[in-house]
Amino acid sequence: MAPIGTRSTVEDATVGARVAKRTASTISYNAALLSARWARDLTDELRRRVSAETTIHSVAAGGYVCRKGDRVESWIGVLDGLVKVSSVSPEGKSVSFIGVPSGGWFGEGSLLKDEPRRYDAVALRSSIVAYMPRNTFMLLLDSSVPFNRFLLIQLNERLGQFVAMVEYDRLLGPDARLAKELAALCNPLLYPGTGNTLPVSQEELANLVGLSRQRVNQGLRQLERARLVRVGYRGLTLLDLDGLRRYEDGVR
DNA sequence: GCATTAACACGTA
DNA sequence: TACGTGTTAATGC
């Protein structure tokens, strides 16, 4: 009975070939870990605990970061790459998607509620993922006001996102859903590191929004005509974040 | 109709 | 060269 250190699903998602390199890369990604917004105002002691106890794994494109039904043992952060979190209905039908780019953290809800994970998270491209153990997370929760403030803001923001998403899925067309997804990906409050340029291919975007790549391409050109984004090679620049949020499919 | 898949040519890293 | 992108045609709901 030694539950500590058992993380079979994490191992499944880890690229075997890269395990040997983990020690070296862990050091370089430690800086990324501690530069997260929630980590900035921690005491030195807490920062030390965080970097000592958080494990960092690389996940290959298409690999699982966590799976629905898993026991929730950690708070998950994307240090590099892009992760798709998909909520699915009991029938197995996908109902909503959210993208988590570098700098984003998720899973605090499941951690707080102490229930099995209710969604899958899949790396859309090769990603570096941090797993903060429940104990460390609880320690921060018990001892740091800035950390609590970060969580409160993030939860509130996320709640708004999900409420909006339900509405959009039913009321809006593909182009507008694409616009909303782009705005959500770049939400500065949730993901401060993202800036205004998204290194996201159209295929990744298609997976995120639930459309074909061709349809996403068509939608992007529409948004480009509306001067909301600039489409580039393997990425795009968001010109008008507010405009994207408000985009309502000028069809009628 | 509208979106998807399949297939192709082209440009970029 | 390998991969992402832009486009078109055929197919399905």
Side-chain angles (χ1 to χ4, degrees):
Chain A
M1 295 300 151
I4 298 180
T6 63
R7 45 175 188 277
S8 54
T9 55
V10 171
E11 295 300 337
D12 290 343
T14 307
V15 195
R18 295 196 182 165
V19 170
K21 285 165 50 182
R22 187 185 301 160
T23 330
S25 53
T26 296
I27 294 167
S28 55
Y29 282 106
N30 198 38
L33 173 65
L34 289 178
S35 69
R37 165 174 288 196
W38 53 263
R40 273 181 222 148
D41 296 320
L42 297 180
T43 63
D44 287 347
E45 168 61 11
L46 286 178
R47 290 165 69 85
R48 196 190 59 75
R49 291 283 300 267
V50 165
S51 50
E53 293 165 15
T54 302
T55 61
I56 296 173
H57 298 258
S58 71
V59 181
Y64 280 95
V65 170
C66 63
R67 308 192 69 143
K68 184 178 182 185
D70 280 352
R71 282 189 57 196
V72 177
E73 292 302 337
S74 45
W75 194 38
I76 299 174
V78 181
L79 300 186
D80 188 36
L82 181 65
V83 170
K84 176 187 77 173
V85 175
S86 52
S87 278
V88 294
S89 69
E91 304 82 40
K93 185 187 175 190
S94 297
V95 287
S96 58
F97 293 96
I98 205 177
V100 185
S102 341
W105 285 75
F106 64 92
E108 65 279 353
S110 307
L111 214 42
L112 289 167
K113 280 183 287 189
D114 194 22
E115 66 181 11
R117 213 173 275 288
R118 293 203 310 211
Y119 46 77
D120 293 322
V122 177
L124 287 183
R125 74 166 77 113
S126 178
S127 299
I128 305 295
V129 180
Y131 298 85
M132 181 192 293
R134 154 173 266 119
N135 283 347
T136 315
F137 179 86
M138 291 306 174
L139 172 67
L140 295 181
L141 204 58
D142 287 341
S143 52
S144 169
V145 169
F147 186 76
N148 279 272
R149 182 171 294 126
F150 172 88
L151 275 189
L152 199 58
I153 291 171
Q154 163 144 320
L155 284 168
N156 188 38
E157 197 65 20
R158 190 110 74 210
L159 177 62
Q161 274 190 14
F162 273 90
V163 168
M165 214 181 304
V166 174
E167 183 186 353
Y168 300 152
D169 268 357
R170 285 162 177 68
L171 299 181
L172 299 181
D175 290 352
R177 291 215 308 275
L178 178 60
K180 304 289 185 193
E181 180 63 36
L182 288 176
L185 266 179
C186 202
N187 188 323
L189 211 52
L190 267 185
Y191 313 116
T194 306
N196 275 341
T197 73
L198 288 173
V200 177
S201 76
Q202 299 181 6
E203 178 140 21
E204 289 173 342
L205 224 38
N207 286 327
L208 229 44
V209 192
L211 294 169
S212 66
R213 176 180 68 81
Q214 291 87 336
R215 188 58 185 82
V216 166
N217 180 264
Q218 191 181 323
L220 282 177
R221 282 188 289 110
Q222 177 76 27
L223 295 178
E224 195 170 36
R225 273 196 296 278
R227 309 230 177 278
L228 298 176
V229 302
R230 181 151 12 93
V231 181
Y233 186 72
R234 223 195 176 299
L236 57 161
T237 306
L238 307 190
L239 301 175
D240 184 354
L241 194 51
D242 224 39
L244 284 172
R245 287 205 193 92
R246 296 189 202 301
Y247 190 85
E248 298 276 324
D249 238 350
V251 181
R252 52 179 246 95

